[in-house]
Amino acid sequence: MVAENLRQVEERICQACARAGRSRSEVTLIAVSKTKPVSMIEELLPLGTRDFGENKVQELCEKYEVLPRDIRWHLIGHLQRNKVKYVVGKACLIHSVDSLRLAQAISQEGEKQGVLVPVLVEVNVAGEESKFGVTWEETENLVEEMARLPHISVRGLMTIAPFVADPEENRSVFGKLKKLYVDIREKNIDNVAMNVLSMGMTNDYEVAIEEGATMVRVGTGIFGERNYAR
């Protein structure tokens, strides 16, 4: 089932890229494996999938210890400062940095471990009170402040769009983030790469790709409905 689901998602990604006149190589598919057992992740490994996303630090760490080291783990959920020490050095990219204090904690842990930590700034484009992320207006200032931290590398932006019945309703959200991403990239801020735009999930990743996403985060579309009872 998982393999067939992946095949269908892959096909839809290729079609979205074709519609947008983009190369399939421009988009990284992150298989969001939160709440899913190691056995389901292992089903995807022979198919070449290596990018997996987790919401919780503890779950990422547990899976990191038992699965192959060539897996690229993405932390996509909210990160508390007291959990930073566990995830730095394990996650290839932290998608959810939404404050300078969190960025400072990540940089300090990067210094302790002697690593440069790649991060994205999470932007709450739609202004939903239930979601984390900085406002659209605050983003550029936060990026500039984070760029001064020595053990962080700002790679781009991330958003979690509203859950909507019609994916087209999120096109403006994705388009707005893409514009902000381009505007910041054109400023050529030192220590800011701006080459990652993480947006789009199971419900709307095709629209996100058409609007410029370089990473999409697909969980239910690959693994099926989540089990939160674990």
Side-chain angles (χ1 to χ4, degrees):
M1 177 197 83
V2 177
E4 174 58 21
N5 288 348
L6 177 67
R7 188 193 67 76
Q8 291 179 13
V9 169
E10 182 61 42
E11 195 172 290
R12 290 168 67 181
I13 289 174
C14 289
Q15 290 169 353
C17 286
R19 287 194 299 273
R22 301 177 67 193
S23 164
R24 170 65 186 88
S25 63
E26 294 176 37
V27 181
T28 299
L29 170 61
I30 300 170
V32 179
S33 47
K34 65 181 184 181
T35 80
K36 296 301 180 182
V38 164
S39 59
M40 290 183 86
I41 295 173
E42 289 173 331
E43 283 185 61
L44 296 182
L45 298 182
L47 305 175
T49 303
R50 284 298 180 275
D51 290 275
F52 291 90
E54 290 290 338
N55 265 43
K56 293 188 177 350
V57 170
Q58 183 179 347
E59 193 172 352
L60 186 153
C61 292
E62 288 171 358
K63 290 173 178 174
Y64 176 90
E65 293 302 332
V66 298
L67 283 159
R69 284 292 188 260
D70 67 341
I71 286 177
R72 293 180 291 272
W73 293 103
H74 298 253
L75 184 74
I76 60 177
H78 180 63
L79 177 59
Q80 296 168 301
R81 294 197 305 281
N82 63 351
K83 301 278 180 69
V84 164
K85 61 187 175 186
Y86 302 113
V87 77
V88 167
K90 294 184 176 71
C92 73
L93 185 61
I94 298 173
H95 289 233
S96 49
V97 179
D98 60 358
S99 73
L100 183 60
R101 289 179 73 194
L102 175 57
Q104 288 167 336
I106 294 169
S107 185
Q108 286 163 6
E109 187 58 34
E111 184 176 15
K112 283 183 195 170
Q113 296 190 28
V115 296
L116 185 67
V117 188
V119 301
L120 304 180
V121 173
E122 181 174 358
V123 187
N124 187 348
V125 179
E128 292 183 282
E129 288 186 11
S130 61
K131 298 247 174 77
F132 292 101
V134 293
T135 67
W136 193 83
E137 294 81 8
E138 295 168 331
T139 303
E140 187 178 323
N141 185 53
L142 179 59
V143 167
E144 289 176 345
E145 290 178 320
M146 286 170 57
R148 300 187 188 105
L149 299 172
H151 288 271
I152 270 185
S153 173
V154 182
R155 298 290 175 84
L157 306 178
M158 178 270 244
T159 197
I160 299 172
F163 186 79
V164 292
D166 180 2
E168 283 295 329
E169 291 180 40
N170 280 336
R171 190 175 292 277
S172 62
V173 171
F174 298 140
K176 191 172 183 182
L177 192 68
K178 171 67 184 293
K179 181 181 185 306
L180 181 61
Y181 165 84
V182 170
D183 287 348
I184 294 174
R185 187 173 62 194
E186 288 177 349
K187 288 185 163 51
N188 292 318
I189 303 165
D190 286 345
N191 194 28
V192 176
M194 277 293 141
N195 54 15
V196 176
L197 191 54
S198 171
M199 59 187 194
M201 300 192 290
T202 293
N203 194 45
D204 53 20
Y205 65 87
E206 292 160 278
V207 173
I209 289 168
E210 291 169 7
E211 292 299 321
T214 69
M215 285 186 177
V216 292
R217 311 178 302 271
V218 180
T220 306
I222 295 173
F223 294 104
E225 293 298 326
R226 295 189 193 96
N227 173 20
Y228 286 104
R230 70 186 291 279

